[in-house]
Amino acid sequence: MRFDLNRDGWICWPEREDLSLEFMRLLAAAQEGGSTVSECWLTASRIDFTDDDCWYDEWSKTADANNDRGFAAFAAGNLVTARSNWLRALNYYSAAAYPFDLAPDKQRAAVSAMRECAANYLRHRRPRGEVVSIPWLSEFALQGYYLPAHATKGPAPVVICIGEPGHRKEEYLFKLAPHAFERGISLLAVDVLGDETGLPFEQLMRHQKLESAIEPVMDYLVGRDDVDDGRIAILGDGWSSSFVARGIAYDPRFAAAVCDGGIWDLHEQAFLKRRMASAGDDTGWSPETSRILRNIRCPLLITVGGRGWLKTDRVTELADQLGVDRRDVTLKIFERAETAAAQGHIDNPTLANEFIFDWIASRLGTGCVSFDRQPQES
């Protein structure tokens, strides 16, 4: 197995940049409980990186081993170990389904196994989590996982963690949920991939604006008795579009938001403007985009990596445009020297999430939880 190690510490198989990125995500997940470093390297050592089927087979084997250990631990009454193994298994199944050109039947099998592991984890979590279905379109429901922070009779603050297209919500069970739980915040993990019982996602993308998914998610939470509807935040994970920013622009119910703030839309608009100008078509600033972005009234956090897809000076310039007449806009840039500097902070999600959830907790008025005083379900 030959790989390159660049100056930023990236492990790279030159012939497969896509799988290299996924492998880095898997390694980084180890510090959040989504993998183990040894299992990642052992699995990678068996993979022919030019063969998507080989990638699928080997990660599926590793996932199966963790899933089996989870059931064995559960049978022995060791729930902590069972939950840990199910979390790793669902992440490995997610990796198995990753290759874009993977046969549909194999992808469906991996996704089904991943969701089964997630359901087992939620079922035996304390407090117990829920698999929820949120109506969106007539032929496309959103699937989510609701994880209460602690057993309580009163309504609790909640953060919606929603993935950009291509990001699966199962990752948030180990990546984000512990950060929320430790700060007394419940979590709703959701993505825009649906429950795979209706329209294919690719067909949906051609006919539906993704930002329309935000309102029904908020409606669902507001309708729950255990949610403090005055303390609901949203975190858009992935940072490859501005659909979360567009979705919250005209919804005053959000108490805080962590997303790109519309920067991606601004960047794409500027790019198209330059292209059109070079072709002799003079296009100006879009009043609609400006109006949407300036209508985000809740406190806003924008985090970006110094090695991300946009240069930091460009991000700062665009963020300054968003900050006009605003009272609470925070821009955090993670530089190369501290890590968490890659796109989406995939090189060190822990560092970024600590900052993000401290910021969310400060806006929602929560703090660290003393676990020994929290009531637990039997």
Side-chain angles (χ1 to χ4, degrees):
M1 181 179 62
R2 185 182 67 83
F3 63 88
D4 296 332
L5 186 65
N6 68 18
R7 66 186 182 89
D8 291 314
W10 282 93
I11 298 165
C12 178
W13 286 267
E15 66 275 14
R16 292 301 297 268
E17 181 180 358
D18 57 338
L19 299 185
S20 299
L21 289 171
E22 178 65 2
F23 184 69
M24 286 297 298
R25 184 195 68 80
L26 284 162
L27 282 178
Q31 60 203 39
E32 301 278 20
S35 67
T36 66
V37 174
S38 295
E39 283 181 316
C40 288
W41 278 115
L42 180 61
T43 305
S45 71
R46 302 192 298 254
I47 293 175
D48 176 358
F49 277 74
T50 65
D51 184 351
D52 286 351
D53 286 339
C54 182
W55 170 277
Y56 166 84
D57 291 340
E58 294 304 331
W59 286 113
S60 293
K61 291 176 184 176
T62 302
D64 289 343
N66 279 264
N67 196 17
D68 291 344
R69 281 200 302 268
F71 279 110
F74 175 73
N78 300 318
L79 287 180
V80 174
T81 299
R83 290 194 294 262
S84 297
N85 276 276
W86 284 326
L87 285 178
R88 293 195 297 270
L90 72 83
N91 198 28
Y92 295 143
Y93 283 128
S94 178
Y98 180 80
F100 182 77
D101 292 327
L102 188 67
D105 60 330
K106 292 186 174 182
Q107 186 174 70
R108 285 193 296 269
V111 170
S112 177
M114 173 192 69
R115 290 183 170 179
E116 182 181 346
C117 288
N120 286 330
Y121 169 79
L122 293 170
R123 190 177 300 117
H124 301 291
R125 178 185 182 269
R126 296 294 181 267
R128 184 186 177 106
E130 304 173 36
V131 180
V132 302
S133 181
I134 302 173
W136 179 22
L137 308 175
S138 59
E139 298 178 88
F140 197 92
L142 298 171
Q143 187 184 78
Y145 302 137
Y146 183 77
L147 292 80
H150 49 79
T152 179
K153 295 182 179 180
V158 180
V159 58
I160 301 166
C161 298
I162 186 165
E164 294 281 355
H167 288 254
R168 298 187 181 279
K169 64 187 176 300
E170 286 74 18
E171 179 181 6
Y172 308 148
L173 297 182
F174 58 83
K175 178 183 175 183
L176 302 178
H179 294 280
F181 180 80
E182 290 168 354
R183 292 163 177 82
I185 304 171
S186 299
L187 181 142
L188 175 64
V190 64
D191 55 34
V192 291
L193 298 174
D195 57 9
E196 298 191 349
T197 61
L199 288 173
F201 178 71
E202 294 77 11
Q203 183 178 343
L204 171 76
M205 287 287 290
R206 291 195 294 268
H207 302 288
Q208 185 69 29
K209 293 182 178 179
L210 290 181
E211 57 265 29
S212 67
I214 303 299
E215 182 178 3
V217 173
M218 172 59 92
D219 290 342
Y220 168 79
L221 284 178
V222 170
R224 291 186 64 109
D225 294 336
D226 57 352
V227 169
D228 183 343
D229 60 13
R231 293 195 292 168
I232 300 176
I234 188 168
L235 192 168
D237 186 64
W239 221 83
S240 57
S241 76
S242 294
F243 89 91
V244 172
R246 295 192 300 270
I248 67 175
Y250 296 109
D251 195 330
R253 296 176 291 179
F254 288 96
V258 183
C259 63
D260 82 324
I263 285 178
W264 197 257
D265 278 356
L266 289 175
H267 170 71
E268 289 189 332
Q269 186 182 82
F271 173 78
L272 291 174
K273 180 180 178 180
R274 290 193 298 270
R275 289 284 299 271
M276 297 299 289
S278 65
D281 186 357
D282 185 16
T283 60
W285 173 269
S286 166
E288 178 64 16
T289 299
S290 177
R291 184 163 55 250
I292 289 174
L293 300 178
R294 292 175 185 274
N295 271 279
I296 301 177
R297 293 303 177 186
C298 65
L300 177 65
L301 170 63
I302 302 169
T303 69
V304 63
R307 293 192 292 113
W309 295 341
L310 297 182
K311 294 183 178 179
T312 55
D313 56 350
R314 179 59 174 158
V315 172
T316 302
E317 175 188 344
L318 295 172
D320 286 343
Q321 295 179 26
L322 295 175
V324 176
D325 299 327
R326 292 190 55 87
R327 293 175 297 176
D328 194 348
V329 177
T330 303
L331 173 63
K332 168 62 177 177
I333 298 176
F334 289 88
E335 303 292 352
R336 292 170 179 261
E338 61 178 332
T339 69
Q343 181 68 25
H345 314 299
I346 66 169
D347 55 326
N348 192 346
T350 303
L351 188 65
N353 290 333
E354 288 173 347
F355 184 93
I356 288 169
F357 278 89
D358 282 347
W359 183 89
I360 291 174
S362 71
R363 270 47 178 193
L364 297 186
T366 68
C368 292
V369 175
S370 177
F371 293 105
D372 58 349
R373 288 180 291 185
Q374 290 302 318
Q376 295 291 314
E377 293 185 351
S378 59

